[in-house]
Amino acid sequence: MQLLDGKKLSKKIELEITKEVKELKDTCGCTPGLAVVLVGQDPASAAYVNMKKKACDRVGFYSITHDMPETISQEAIEKTIEMMNDNPNVDGILIQLPLPSQIDTTKILELVAPEKDVDGFHPYNVGRLTTGLDGFVPCTPLGVMKLLKEYDIDVKGKNCVVVGASNIVGKPMAALLLNADATVEICHIFTDDLKKHTLAADIVLVGVGVINLIKEDMLKDDVIIIDIGINRAENGKLVGDVDFANVSQKCSYITPVPGGVGPMTIAMLLKNTLKAAKINAKERQL
Ligand code: GUN
């Protein structure tokens, strides 16, 4: 069994980005900028946003966080997004999800300018992904593809079972795998007999937030496991959706939690923001 080391790869990517940021500053005086909207007090969301901000600092990006109270109105968030859309110093906009129940999340995500949509959640970018066109791709599935590539794992023709059908992870993950010529199945909460599906898989990619959902008896020998879950165990430790101790005896490759997909998500947010900044810099020069 070999670990797919996302921590190591994300550091390598950050170094490359840092170099490119310096070049961009030297050639056009531009500093890539990321604006984040954080609503409410959810500790997990606050921790994620803090990690994203720290990563921006490490590579030399400008970043700003709009901290908003849980009781904020739809109009106030929309006004902030319009301001960020119009601000030339902001290359990327990220709305940390979930938003409170009084907020229409779809409307908010549709208001983000598609060329600043570094999370890839705008229907324009979702459409481009599903049609195989260039655009902004959601960071977690994009990070998984980069990690597979780093370890020379080609998904072409492989049976890939994605467990979880969210807009953030499962659906874009399936689209990326399909675009890379994999055979893709999506399983979800209503799937009958999950084991029947996972047993046939060459690669299992799971992100549903259920501790120990994937056990060794659900898998064939030498399977490749991508664990996208992040859960807090009773002992306070971070764990994924896979029974790591037992599954790691059976698989050929596996991502650890923490240190697998998580750091790759942040590295891809940086990559997407740099991509947006480069496009903006080019447009300003025209
Ligand atoms: N909430 C959980 N994951 C994500 C993510 O990747 N991006 C945003 N914006 N919110 C999230």
Side-chain angles (χ1 to χ4, degrees):
M1 178 278 292
Q2 192 177 353
L3 283 180
L4 297 169
D5 191 341
K7 199 171 167 188
K8 187 170 145 199
L9 177 56
S10 68
K11 280 188 181 156
K12 190 168 118 183
I13 293 168
E14 277 194 17
L15 281 179
E16 289 163 9
I17 293 174
T18 307
K19 228 170 99 187
E20 284 202 58
V21 171
K22 282 202 188 102
E23 282 165 15
L24 202 62
K25 282 182 187 168
D26 290 345
T27 52
C28 72
C30 337
T31 301
L34 176 70
V36 178
V37 171
L38 173 62
V39 183
Q41 305 290 322
D42 175 49
S45 286
Y48 288 135
V49 166
N50 192 35
M51 282 193 277
K52 290 169 185 176
K53 189 182 162 3
K54 281 187 175 158
C56 284
D57 292 345
R58 285 197 298 274
V59 297
F61 288 0
Y62 155 79
S63 77
I64 180 166
T65 305
H66 294 277
D67 258 308
M68 298 178 163
E70 185 79 28
T71 53
I72 192 95
S73 69
Q74 178 85 21
E75 292 71 30
I77 304 181
E78 288 181 4
K79 242 189 181 158
T80 306
I81 294 173
E82 279 163 0
M83 223 172 59
M84 297 187 295
N85 282 344
D86 293 339
N87 184 345
N89 295 322
V90 171
D91 296 296
I93 298 171
L94 184 149
I95 317 293
Q96 186 63 35
L97 300 179
L99 294 172
S101 56
Q102 80 274 15
I103 302 296
D104 181 343
T105 300
T106 306
K107 203 164 165 227
I108 293 293
L109 295 179
E110 279 192 274
L111 200 60
V112 173
E115 68 275 15
K116 296 192 177 191
D117 174 35
V118 289
D119 249 337
F121 294 166
H122 190 288
Y124 174 83
N125 284 313
V126 176
R128 290 193 69 91
L129 172 61
T130 52
T131 42
L133 297 170
D134 185 37
F136 289 105
V137 175
C139 303
T140 300
L142 184 60
V144 169
M145 296 307 284
K146 284 266 185 269
L147 196 52
L148 290 169
K149 188 152 192 253
E150 178 73 8
Y151 286 84
D152 289 325
I153 298 168
D154 188 0
V155 301
K156 189 173 185 169
K158 295 270 169 29
N159 284 331
C160 296
V161 172
V162 178
V163 185
S166 70
N167 290 338
I168 295 180
V169 177
K171 288 183 201 165
M173 187 75 256
L176 282 171
L177 291 164
L178 186 60
N179 290 348
D181 301 326
T183 302
V184 188
E185 254 189 276
I186 309 182
C187 297
H188 46 76
I189 193 151
F190 299 115
T191 296
D192 217 18
D193 196 359
L194 177 62
K195 182 175 170 177
K196 185 181 87 187
H197 298 271
T198 54
L199 265 177
D202 301 311
I203 306 178
V204 174
L205 309 99
V206 55
V208 293
V210 178
I211 296 176
N212 290 338
L213 177 70
I214 304 296
K215 300 189 178 66
E216 80 279 13
D217 67 342
M218 300 166 72
L219 303 163
K220 66 179 183 185
D221 284 338
D222 296 328
V223 64
I224 295 169
I225 301 288
I226 305 294
D227 192 347
I228 312 172
I230 301 182
N231 312 289
R232 188 72 68 181
E234 273 177 20
N235 61 9
K237 284 194 174 161
L238 279 182
V239 295
D241 292 347
V242 176
D243 176 2
F244 185 90
N246 294 310
V247 169
S248 58
Q249 312 288 318
K250 193 167 192 176
C251 61
S252 55
Y253 294 92
I254 188 166
T255 55
V257 178
V261 175
M264 290 305 297
T265 296
I266 293 183
M268 292 305 103
L269 173 65
L270 299 174
K271 228 173 163 38
N272 280 350
T273 306
L274 180 64
K275 175 175 169 170
K278 280 184 180 167
I279 294 169
N280 288 342
K282 215 178 228 173
E283 274 177 7
R284 252 178 256 143
Q285 280 169 350
L286 292 177

